[in-house]
Amino acid sequence: MNELLFASLILYFIATVLQFTGTAMKKNALQRVARGVLAAGFLAHTAFTVWRGIAAGRLPLANQFEFASAFAWAAALMGFLLHRKLGQEGILTVGMPAAFLILSYAALQPREIHELMPALRSAWFGLHIGSAAFSYAAFAIAGGLGVSYLIQIRKGKKEEDAAMKQLDYMEYRLICLGFLLLTVVIFSGAIWAEQAWSSWWSWDPKETWALITWIFYAIYLHQRMRAKWHGKRMAILAIVALVMVLFTFAGVNLLLPGLHSYATN
Amino acid sequence: MRFGMILLAGIIACSLAGSLIPQGESAMTYVQAYGAKTAKILIDIGFTNIFHSWYFCMLEILLCGNLILCSIIRFPKTRRMFREMKRKAAETETAEPLSPGQAEKIRQMLKRGGFRQEGEVWSKNSIGAYGSFLTHVSILVVLGFGSLVLMTPKITDRTVMPGESIRMDDGTKVTCLSFHIEDKNGKLDYASLLRAESADGRESREQEIRVNEPMRFGGKKIYQQTYGTAGQALIHNDTNGAEETVWLTEPCFLSIDSRNGVYFQALYPGFIQEEDGSYTLITSSSMGYSNPVYSVQSIADGASASVLAFPGETLQIGEVRFTFLMPTEYPGLRIKEVSTALYAGLYFGFGLMVAALYLCFFMAPVCVRVNEDGYQVHSPKPQEGLKIRIQTAAEEE
């Protein structure tokens, strides 16, 4: 069934190339084809995820590969839904490469199916890790929109342009969604930790970095209320915050082992 | 708000340091990792225990003070916000021009979207005005109850051998009926069957506990925190027939008369017998104690000899026989006294914060003034999405 994983990876890549080309050449037809290819990739990815869940007899969120795959799946789904709701091509121009890059990272991880270790057998497993995947996906697309915003500014677009305001707005909304979900991640993690290890909070590196990321996004959301903090400055903050998210996701597991070290296996 | 941001930045800086520098290790660990000079500086400025340092606590206290002030100052403004927004919307001219007929389409769209009409002003989400206020209050609730929950519980760590009991200070008796690592299907399980009894014996309960399933009994929570493997020796005195079984969990001297006896050094999970007949001991094994061996010293009449003893083997020192038995796995329990009220407060804070953030981000109060000349959106939060929907509705054929 790994064929489904690699099929979705290839389809995400083709969709990304078509979307970029369509955007650069201003060809709507090409963007429509890209959407179709993304949909096919997403279906293959969904089928792979369902198969893996059935084969493992649990939610496929138990290790770095499964989490990264869910993260990519959430990014693709979010790109689809937001594009459908807001009709903004920018979402897909960012969502497609995000899904492709994250799934590429997943494909590099060991893919063996292991029995769920006792510490992970909890009712909080799905909520805690599932909301983390969606939260990271929202932050990843928001950071990507930040990059897109800066590229547009460099190309000479003005912050006052309607399209730029919409880009800025989408980035903000995604960060709101990601922040709410990250709050759920932290709280469900605290309740789970109390049940498993008797302590709500142990300053484990993963916990600490989740808190750092949460506080940084809280600063982002507060700064947004200040008059001068819009557009370019917020795009830069969204990108810096995304670096923190990526470090929390992958860097902590590699460099700062702790109670969450099983996520590396 | 600026002061609050500075405090949050300070907490980020401390947390960064705390995640990069190992916390709570011995001084020697820091000397080995960073060198004597740097280690001394790190220890002196509290970077080796930063989350309990005075300045980190001070940051948290200041943040709480800041949140309290913010909440007090904002509350009256929050109460007035929606009314004033509607008044302002009614008084402000519409800035986005509309063509004839478009206003009606927008009104229909707003009606479908759940907006309430008062003259030319359409409004929604009055409760969302409280989102920001409630978020700040919920952070205070979480910090307050979280600190109390982390600081107040009385925690006791005890090991209990299968079949044995421990008694708590208040008389509660906890018996470990059994412990297993694997279940019947060979799946890793790490479960202990416990029986807890109140001091007066009126209340008792049996429950199998494992890593995510602690036991609640009489205001206590009993967790299976660790597990270990203990050796066992049967000591038999041939002179008087006395017999005793002892657990061997750490090095100890099984003394007969304070000079003679057996010194237990360690229990190894396995061994490999080399071709020359010597043994190589396996110090750790993922397979468990499949082939255990005891490393002991027999001490008799001032002479000592190192011995490897296998389960079932007996060492005779004078009139006393030491028979080594198969090792047994046992759980390490953590018994925590919990306050239901504090837990309820913390859970309430968690729920309140999630609800308040939802109000803040997804139910922000919004007013739209629509007339034949144009429309204008008013909200404390960006409303580009609504503007897109209004524009789309206006341009619909």
Side-chain angles (χ1 to χ4, degrees):
Chain A
M1 277 291 174
N2 279 337
E3 293 82 358
L4 276 175
L5 174 73
F6 289 104
S8 51
L9 191 60
I10 292 165
L11 288 167
Y12 285 161
F13 175 70
I14 296 169
T16 304
V17 172
L18 288 173
Q19 180 73 11
F20 277 15
T21 315
T23 306
M25 295 168 70
K26 293 183 178 146
K27 299 261 187 202
N28 288 343
L30 219 51
Q31 289 177 333
R32 272 199 299 277
V33 176
R35 281 203 291 279
V37 176
L38 177 69
F42 181 72
L43 284 178
H45 195 175
T46 307
F48 171 77
T49 307
V50 170
W51 165 80
R52 181 141 181 131
I54 292 168
R58 54 171 167 75
L59 284 174
L61 296 167
N63 54 34
Q64 190 76 339
F65 163 71
E66 290 175 353
F67 181 78
S69 174
F71 180 3
W73 185 84
L77 178 67
M78 231 173 239
F80 258 129
L81 295 179
L82 289 172
H83 176 264
R84 202 178 157 80
K85 191 171 179 196
L86 299 170
Q88 299 295 309
E89 275 308 315
I91 291 269
L92 285 179
T93 311
V94 169
M96 287 179 192
F100 168 68
L101 290 172
I102 302 160
L103 195 60
S104 303
Y105 170 79
L108 296 173
Q109 306 300 314
R111 291 193 296 276
E112 293 83 22
I113 295 177
H114 292 287
E115 192 182 277
L116 200 61
M117 59 188 291
L120 295 178
R121 290 179 209 147
S122 163
W124 295 100
F125 175 67
L127 180 69
H128 179 64
I129 307 174
S131 40
F134 276 93
S135 159
Y136 287 8
F139 290 143
I141 299 180
L145 288 173
V147 174
S148 173
Y149 191 95
L150 293 183
I151 292 171
Q152 303 290 338
I153 290 281
R154 214 178 156 80
K155 280 183 179 171
K157 285 209 176 162
K158 296 272 178 281
E159 289 194 8
E160 295 76 32
D161 289 355
M164 295 299 279
K165 277 188 176 173
Q166 284 171 14
L167 208 58
D168 183 45
Y169 171 74
M170 286 187 292
E171 173 199 301
Y172 162 73
R173 294 295 283 174
L174 279 161
I175 286 177
C176 290
L177 175 66
F179 187 76
L180 177 63
L181 289 169
L182 186 61
T183 309
V184 173
V185 172
I186 293 174
F187 288 165
S188 57
I191 297 170
W192 186 1
E194 199 277 336
Q195 277 191 1
W197 303 316
S198 76
S199 176
W200 302 88
W201 194 263
S202 354
W203 295 108
D204 165 66
K206 199 83 165 180
E207 285 174 0
T208 308
W209 272 88
L211 180 70
I212 290 170
T213 310
W214 190 87
I215 295 176
F216 196 84
Y217 277 111
I219 292 175
Y220 170 99
L221 291 166
H222 279 89
Q223 289 303 95
R224 206 165 234 290
M225 294 186 333
R226 295 171 72 171
K228 287 179 184 170
W229 286 77
H230 286 279
K232 195 177 166 185
R233 285 183 177 187
M234 300 319 289
I236 293 168
L237 273 190
I239 296 164
V240 174
L242 176 60
V243 174
M244 288 185 171
V245 170
L246 294 177
F247 186 77
T248 309
F249 160 56
V252 170
N253 291 343
L254 291 172
L255 305 171
L256 305 169
L259 291 168
H260 287 76
S261 292
Y262 46 75
T264 52
N265 298 325
Chain B
M1 195 167 77
R2 192 172 291 175
F3 183 60
M5 295 304 101
I6 293 168
L7 292 174
L8 289 178
I11 292 176
I12 287 186
C14 289
S15 303
L16 272 173
S19 74
L20 299 173
I21 300 163
Q23 298 292 294
E25 302 288 340
S26 67
M28 189 47 74
T29 310
Y30 297 108
V31 171
Q32 283 168 347
Y34 305 106
K37 248 185 190 171
T38 315
K40 188 177 181 317
I41 294 169
L42 290 177
I43 292 166
D44 287 348
I45 59 174
F47 269 33
T48 55
N49 203 8
I50 200 161
F51 300 117
H52 299 99
S53 63
W54 66 267
Y55 47 86
F56 190 74
C57 294
M58 188 57 75
L59 279 174
E60 286 181 321
I61 291 165
L62 286 172
L63 184 69
C64 285
N66 187 264
L67 285 167
I68 291 168
L69 279 178
C70 256
S71 306
I72 292 170
I73 293 166
R74 273 189 198 169
F75 187 64
K77 216 170 140 189
T78 304
R79 281 182 62 195
R80 289 195 304 267
M81 186 223 268
F82 195 65
R83 220 174 32 238
E84 281 182 7
M85 199 171 67
K86 278 203 291 191
R87 186 180 51 78
K88 195 180 158 198
E91 287 170 0
T92 313
E93 285 305 310
T94 52
E96 309 290 337
L98 292 172
S99 309
Q102 286 187 324
E104 188 49 32
K105 288 179 186 168
I106 294 174
R107 285 190 202 106
Q108 290 302 320
M109 186 280 256
L110 293 173
K111 204 174 173 182
R112 282 196 305 275
F115 280 78
R116 288 172 66 182
Q117 186 185 7
E118 282 175 57
E120 290 184 352
V121 178
W122 295 71
S123 62
K124 189 173 153 172
N125 298 342
S126 58
I127 193 170
Y130 292 92
S132 176
F133 169 75
L134 288 175
T135 303
H136 289 87
V137 170
S138 67
I139 296 173
L140 272 172
V141 173
V142 169
L143 284 176
F145 280 101
S147 307
L148 288 172
V149 158
L150 285 173
M151 287 186 294
T152 54
K154 191 180 161 200
I155 291 173
T156 315
D157 287 330
R158 301 281 287 270
T159 54
V160 52
M161 299 299 168
E164 293 191 353
S165 303
I166 49 170
R167 206 171 267 282
M168 307 304 301
D169 294 342
D170 65 352
T172 306
K173 187 178 161 193
V174 179
T175 308
C176 175
L177 301 174
S178 65
F179 171 77
H180 65 255
I181 290 180
E182 291 179 346
D183 65 10
K184 286 168 193 162
N185 304 317
K187 197 171 157 186
L188 285 175
D189 192 29
Y190 304 101
S192 309
L193 180 62
L194 299 186
R195 184 171 60 228
E197 283 172 86
S198 58
D200 55 11
R202 284 187 189 167
E203 236 185 301
S204 79
R205 191 163 154 212
E206 259 183 48
Q207 189 186 323
E208 197 163 63
I209 65 162
R210 41 178 72 75
V211 66
N212 282 305
E213 296 167 31
M215 178 184 193
R216 270 181 174 274
F217 184 82
K220 293 183 177 62
K221 251 179 153 177
I222 306 170
Y223 299 83
Q224 184 186 278
Q225 198 75 359
T226 56
Y227 76 98
T229 305
Q232 239 181 322
L234 175 70
I235 305 167
H236 182 88
N237 192 327
D238 290 339
T239 318
N240 56 16
E243 210 169 67
E244 189 187 358
T245 306
V246 293
W247 294 102
L248 303 170
T249 53
E250 55 191 25
C252 58
F253 184 42
L254 306 173
S255 152
I256 299 169
D257 54 9
S258 78
R259 285 191 304 121
N260 299 312
V262 168
Y263 182 74
F264 165 71
Q265 288 172 315
L267 171 67
Y268 293 94
F271 62 89
I272 299 165
Q273 191 164 13
E274 307 293 350
E275 281 178 7
D276 61 1
S278 65
Y279 291 99
T280 302
L281 298 172
I282 297 169
T283 51
S284 70
S285 167
S286 57
M287 303 294 290
Y289 284 66
S290 54
N291 203 11
V293 59
Y294 292 85
S295 167
V296 294
Q297 274 193 312
S298 67
I299 300 165
D301 302 327
S304 78
S306 292
V307 181
L308 286 179
F310 302 98
E313 275 190 2
T314 301
L315 282 179
Q316 177 110 29
I317 312 258
E319 299 299 309
V320 180
R321 282 182 286 148
F322 298 84
T323 306
F324 294 92
L325 308 175
M326 276 304 285
T328 303
E329 272 109 12
Y330 64 93
L333 301 181
R334 169 162 289 183
I335 299 154
K336 192 167 89 170
E337 282 176 26
V338 292
S339 154
T340 312
L342 291 183
Y343 271 47
L346 189 59
Y347 283 131
F348 171 72
F350 287 168
L352 182 64
M353 200 193 294
V354 173
L357 285 172
Y358 183 81
L359 284 182
C360 216
F361 298 144
F362 301 103
M363 287 190 76
V366 58
C367 289
V368 186
R369 185 181 181 193
V370 190
N371 56 32
E372 299 309 316
D373 300 329
Y375 73 92
Q376 182 70 42
V377 177
H378 298 264
S379 174
K381 296 276 155 71
Q383 292 292 345
E384 299 302 317
L386 178 63
K387 286 178 192 168
I388 293 171
R389 288 203 301 279
I390 289 176
Q391 211 57 47
T392 313
E395 286 162 10
E396 254 174 18
E397 287 300 317

